[in-house]
């Protein structure tokens, strides 16, 4: 990929322009990290660049960016530019193309992102980004206060880069971030979410969450984020959150949701405010719903036994009591919610946090972590549509007019089958329904 990008640079140089590798690629190259894409910059105006690369896609002409195809790769090529005036604490109101790379690097956010490299591998690094990388420091280019006021998104980027690259935010930069935190309200939620996501998926999400807590940055989002994360100070971060990097990115938001004590109904509105795709909000809601349902059912079982939670017999009772509520929860919230619940509960339990407030129920959680997958395998059906009998068929066979009884009866049938108390056969289901239909009105 680098070789092919080098060819693009060579082509530009042959035509009399100066051209460099820039941005994240140079940063990741200098620090020996894996490369995912390559950004290029040159002194050629967008029009001239398009002439040189007729196959290029004019992806962002206004900002001087075209996408060049070369050797099966796509490279973003941007004309050196300077962003003079900023409006509304976010985008520059106009861009001005310049002929010098140094001008271009000056408008970039952090020194580690403001390095350029020519096609021979020679570094051009006027702000000592390489030195900062080596010292482990994240520093704004130029005057940090001004840089955050120009574009408040840089504060989120600051925290994301500090976390993902394990950098210490340089003092003036950090003070400027604290001073300007409230400007985050000018930034679209979508961009805030994108930074959050990249931080959460990164190698050290807990570091980012600590910085967010320290700066209280999330108190200042454009739309209010009504969850604890926005109000936590760094010494309030729960143990599980401090160990997030030890778990897979897929369940990190679930751990966070649980650690924030969110309820099933909180998830979708919150995730919507964060502009996540709807299915993400549903996924979190299903996980929380699964958890709450299971908790309620098991707590009731303990209470109905009228037993002391410390009673050793409770363990025996538990062994029998646990599978049914688990399987019912699977029917209600889906198999993937169950699997995610197991993973998340396992992770939290390993961090030594108690999953539910009642200590006695911890035994149930541990049993489900161990045997939940087995319970799932035992289930002949996991969804209503796997039942060998459809609703209309049932209604016709019983010769009753439609009504609430139908849903109730169907739910009962699927439960009986899922818990292996009734075979999933048309005849058996119909017989059971005939016999018991009086209970369903
Ligand atoms: P990665 O793609 O690995 O997240 P990156 O540094 O390439 O990191 P991009 O968002 O792709 O990040 O931006 C490319 C470059 O553009 C950055 O390295 C930086 O120099 C510059 N840049 C991006 N966003 C801003 C910003 N808000 N303010 C100033 N410069 C920015
Ligand atoms: Mg990039």
């Amino acid at each position: 990929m680098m070789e092919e990008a080098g060819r693009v640079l060579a082509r530009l140089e042959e035509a009399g322009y100066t051209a460099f590798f820039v941005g994240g690629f140079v940063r990741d190259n200098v620090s020996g990290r894996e490369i995912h894409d390559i950004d290029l910059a040159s002194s050629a105006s967008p029009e001239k660049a398009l002439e040189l690369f007729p196959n290029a896609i004019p992806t962002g002409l206004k900002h001087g960016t075209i996408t060049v195809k070369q050797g099966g790769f796509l490279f973003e090529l941007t004309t050196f530019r300077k962003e003079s005036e900023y409006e509304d604490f976010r985008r520059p109101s106009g861009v001005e193309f310049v002929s010098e790379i140094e001008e271009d690097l000056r408008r970039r956010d952090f020194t580690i992102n403001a390095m350029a490299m020519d096609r021979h591998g020679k570094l051009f690094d006027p702000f000592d980004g390489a030195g900062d990388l080596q010292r482990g420091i994240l520093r704004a280019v130029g005057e940090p206060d001004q840089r955050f006021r120009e574009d408040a998104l840089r504060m989120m980027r600051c925290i994301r880069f500090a976390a993902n690259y394990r950098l210490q935010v340089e003092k003036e930069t950090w003070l400027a971030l604290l001073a300007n935190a409230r400007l985050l309200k000018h930034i679209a939620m979508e961009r805030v979410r994108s930074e959050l996501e990249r931080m959460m998926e990164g190698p050290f999400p807990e570091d980012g969450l600590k910085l967010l807590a320290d700066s209280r940055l999330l108190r200042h989002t454009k739309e209010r984020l009504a969850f604890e994360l926005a109000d936590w100070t760094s010494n309030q971060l729960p143990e599980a959150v401090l160990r997030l990097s030890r778990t897979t990115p897929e369940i990190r938001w679930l751990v966070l949701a649980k650690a924030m004590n969110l309820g099933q109904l909180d998830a979708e509105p919150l995730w919507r405010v964060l502009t996540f795709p709807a299915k993400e909000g549903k996924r979190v809601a299903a996980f929380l719903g699964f958890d709450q349902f299971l908790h309620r059912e098991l707590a009731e079982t303990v209470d109905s036994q009228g037993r002391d939670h410390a009673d050793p017999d409770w363990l025996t009772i538990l062994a029998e009591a646990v599978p049914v509520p688990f399987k019912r929860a699977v029917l209600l919230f889906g198999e993937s919610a169950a699997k995610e619940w197991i993973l998340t509960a396992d992770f939290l339990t390993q961090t030594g946090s108690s999953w539910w407030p009642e200590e006695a129920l911890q035994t149930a959680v541990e049993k489900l972590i161990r045997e939940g997958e087995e319970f799932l395998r035992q289930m002949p059906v996991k969804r209503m549509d796997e039942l060998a009998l459809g609703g209309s068929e049932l209604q016709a066979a019983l010769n009753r007019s439609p009504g609430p009884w139908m849903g109730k009866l169907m739910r009962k049938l699927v439960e009986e089958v899922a818990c292996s108390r009734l075979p999933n056969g048309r005849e058996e289901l119909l017989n059971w329904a005939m016999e018991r239909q009086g209970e369903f009105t």
Side-chain angles (χ1 to χ4, degrees):
M1 176 154 71
M2 202 175 155
E3 219 174 282
E4 294 296 343
R7 294 212 168 104
V8 176
L9 296 182
R11 180 96 186 76
L12 284 155
E13 285 179 4
E14 279 158 23
Y17 302 104
T18 48
F20 294 90
F21 296 104
V22 289
F25 165 74
V26 182
R27 177 194 67 225
D28 291 345
N29 196 45
V30 167
S31 55
R33 285 190 164 76
E34 201 184 315
I35 306 305
H36 44 95
D37 57 13
I38 299 185
D39 294 327
L40 307 172
S42 86
S43 61
S45 69
E47 294 77 22
K48 294 288 179 203
L50 273 177
E51 277 172 33
L52 280 178
F53 304 100
N55 290 332
I57 312 155
T59 34
L61 271 192
K62 227 177 34 186
H63 304 105
T65 304
I66 66 171
T67 301
V68 178
K69 296 185 209 170
Q70 169 73 39
F73 298 103
L74 296 175
F75 303 110
E76 289 212 333
L77 171 62
T78 304
T79 305
F80 297 155
R81 65 184 197 204
K82 146 175 158 187
E83 289 159 358
S84 31
E85 294 134 55
Y86 289 80
E87 255 171 23
D88 307 337
F89 311 99
R90 39 194 173 103
R91 59 186 123 72
S93 52
V95 294
E96 192 183 317
F97 299 127
V98 295
S99 59
E100 299 297 324
I101 179 71
E102 184 158 350
E103 274 297 302
D104 181 89
L105 296 180
R106 195 182 300 283
R107 60 130 180 131
R108 294 175 184 268
D109 47 7
F110 303 103
T111 63
I112 62 164
N113 289 341
M115 297 183 273
M117 201 175 82
D118 74 10
R119 68 192 174 90
H120 308 291
K122 187 160 169 284
L123 199 63
F124 183 60
D125 183 14
F127 307 105
D128 195 22
D132 281 344
L133 263 181
Q134 202 162 32
R135 290 184 289 270
I137 287 174
L138 184 65
R139 183 196 312 270
V141 171
E143 227 278 284
D145 189 65
Q146 182 193 343
R147 303 315 307 282
F148 289 139
R149 276 187 282 122
E150 284 170 358
D151 178 358
L153 181 70
R154 289 173 187 155
M155 296 187 287
M156 288 299 297
R157 286 174 60 88
C158 180
I159 288 177
R160 192 247 296 181
F161 282 116
N164 290 3
Y165 290 80
R166 287 234 131 149
L167 303 172
Q168 178 91 38
V169 183
E170 176 270 333
K171 188 160 167 247
E172 294 302 319
T173 303
W174 183 247
L175 291 176
L177 187 150
L178 296 180
N180 290 296
R182 74 203 146 73
L183 296 181
L184 194 67
K185 68 171 181 286
H186 298 286
I187 302 300
M189 293 305 285
E190 197 179 349
R191 309 194 62 192
V192 172
R193 189 252 306 150
S194 160
E195 291 301 325
L196 274 181
E197 267 192 297
R198 297 171 78 169
M199 185 193 96
M200 286 290 280
E201 287 163 7
F204 309 105
E206 54 271 53
D207 292 4
L209 292 170
K210 271 188 251 173
L211 292 171
L212 283 174
D214 281 338
S215 63
R216 302 292 183 99
L217 200 51
L218 291 183
R219 283 187 164 188
H220 302 284
T221 46
K222 186 171 209 154
E223 286 173 62
R224 200 172 91 82
L225 289 173
F227 56 28
E228 291 179 19
L229 173 58
D231 292 314
W232 274 334
T233 55
S234 58
N235 58 4
Q236 291 172 322
L237 294 181
E239 195 59 30
V241 169
L242 293 174
R243 298 184 195 209
L244 269 183
S245 60
R246 301 188 195 185
T247 185
T248 58
E250 289 71 39
I251 64 164
R252 289 179 185 171
W253 286 100
L254 304 182
V255 173
L256 198 56
K258 176 77 180 167
M260 293 193 291
N261 298 307
L262 293 183
Q264 182 192 355
L265 299 178
D266 304 324
E268 285 190 70
L270 265 171
W271 260 241
R272 198 176 310 123
V273 170
L274 279 166
T275 72
F276 275 106
K279 71 169 184 1
E280 270 306 299
K282 286 192 167 48
R283 179 176 82 103
V284 182
F287 159 78
L288 293 170
F290 188 97
D291 183 51
Q292 283 174 295
F293 177 84
L294 205 51
H295 178 253
R296 198 171 52 238
E297 293 287 306
L298 290 172
E300 269 171 28
T301 310
V302 185
D303 294 343
S304 68
Q305 298 285 337
R307 279 177 191 274
D308 181 348
H309 291 188
D311 186 338
D313 282 351
W314 162 233
L315 291 179
T316 330
I317 296 162
L318 194 68
E320 283 167 41
V322 158
V324 169
F326 180 85
K327 290 173 183 177
R328 290 180 61 208
V330 173
L331 293 174
L332 286 168
F333 300 100
E335 183 177 13
S336 51
K339 290 188 163 163
E340 292 183 324
W341 185 91
I342 296 170
L343 287 174
T344 311
D346 190 14
F347 170 69
L348 248 96
T349 301
Q350 281 174 32
T351 68
S353 340
S354 73
W355 182 258
W356 288 322
E358 305 84 348
E359 211 181 303
L361 293 185
Q362 188 58 29
T363 320
V365 174
E366 279 158 27
K367 185 177 169 68
L368 287 170
I369 291 168
R370 277 193 316 272
E371 296 173 46
E373 288 286 346
E374 176 55 26
F375 295 155
L376 280 172
R377 277 190 292 276
Q378 288 168 3
M379 294 175 72
V381 297
K382 298 190 187 76
R383 294 194 319 262
M384 180 75 85
D385 62 9
E386 292 171 336
L387 209 57
L389 184 71
S392 45
E393 229 179 331
L394 175 74
Q395 189 204 331
L398 298 187
N399 197 20
R400 279 173 75 172
S401 48
W405 66 270
M406 227 170 86
K408 291 183 205 161
L409 182 44
M410 287 294 287
R411 276 194 293 279
K412 189 67 188 165
L413 283 173
V414 77
E415 207 176 293
E416 292 299 301
V417 175
C419 297
S420 308
R421 293 186 291 239
L422 182 66
N424 189 21
R426 223 182 86 85
E427 287 303 309
E428 288 89 344
L429 293 169
L430 274 175
N431 287 339
W432 196 98
M434 303 265 200
E435 244 169 69
R436 306 275 295 267
Q437 62 167 310
E439 297 166 28
F440 302 88
T441 53

